[in-house]
Amino acid sequence: MATIALPAPDTDGSTSVERAIATRESRRSFTSKPVGLEDVSQILWAAQGTTHTRDGVEMRAAPSAGATYPLVAFLEVSPAGSEDLEPGVYRYEPREHALEVVVETAVHDELTAAALEQAVVNDAPVSLALAADYDRTRRQYPEHGERYVHMEAGHAAENVHLVCTSRGLCSCPVGAFSDTEVNDALSLPDPLESLYLIPVGKPPANA
Ligand SMILES: Cc1cc2nc3c(=O)[nH]c(=O)nc-3n(C[C@H](O)[C@H](O)[C@H](O)COP(=O)(O)O)c2cc1C
């Protein structure tokens, strides 16, 4: 599989976390400007990037029950959605902080259809998708594992929304979609299941 190295993440941005919380909102309009590799690096790191090592385990930016790390982040790139990335689907590899090419052709129409034709998905240059391998967490927590995975998706997504806000990017949580159609559009391998879409782009001129 071809991999694309991402620029090192900025771990010390200039916007306070309070400012990002105060100004975050769901933003559904974007310019047609492409999103660059530095922004892609930052949002994927915020979702699932590594931060430090504890007891030999690489810990990630979002907390995980028992450090089971069931989430996998994917990036869908629309035609002309990025100057640096071809349209298609990429899997984020936290350890290498790199993208693995999954689909080398545009799947933007399929993803938009899977998201019930929502304009926010159609208009976004890129969308981050969170998928989960539930069994990683269920094995350790048979009773609460499923709930924990959903809690973790919320943690990862909020990190992304706050980083987008701090970088002047627009993002929107999207949960209204056909699970199976999103799985198919992104070519998710078994046992991954789609959980959350986050279309991301630059603000329109009048915003
Ligand atoms: C789990 C979840 C799913 C959502 N799904 C969608 C969606 O499919 N489409 C959409 O436009 N907004 C979606 N939203 C965004 C909400 O409409 C939005 O968060 C809410 O109106 C509050 O506005 P704010 O995010 O600007 O604070 C979703 C939000 C959450 C938390």
Side-chain angles (χ1 to χ4, degrees), residues 24-28 115-116 118 120 172-177 196:
R24 182 215 59 83
E25 58 180 330
S26 296
R27 298 181 68 181
R28 300 178 177 82
L116 319 179
Q118 291 189 66
V120 65
C172 182
V174 168
F177 55 76
Y196 202 136

Side-chain angles (χ1 to χ4, degrees), residues 48-89:
Q48 282 296 287
T50 59
T51 50
H52 61 286
T53 303
R54 189 201 296 158
D55 300 332
V57 178
E58 286 194 87
M59 312 305 278
R60 299 191 186 174
S64 173
T68 48
Y69 297 120
L71 300 180
V72 181
F74 289 82
L75 187 79
E76 183 267 336
V77 178
S78 72
S82 174
E83 285 161 351
D84 307 307
L85 296 167
E86 296 296 324
V89 181

Side-chain angles (χ1 to χ4, degrees), residues 114 177-185 194:
F177 55 76
S178 155
D179 301 359
T180 53
E181 287 180 37
V182 169
N183 295 348
D184 289 347
S194 55

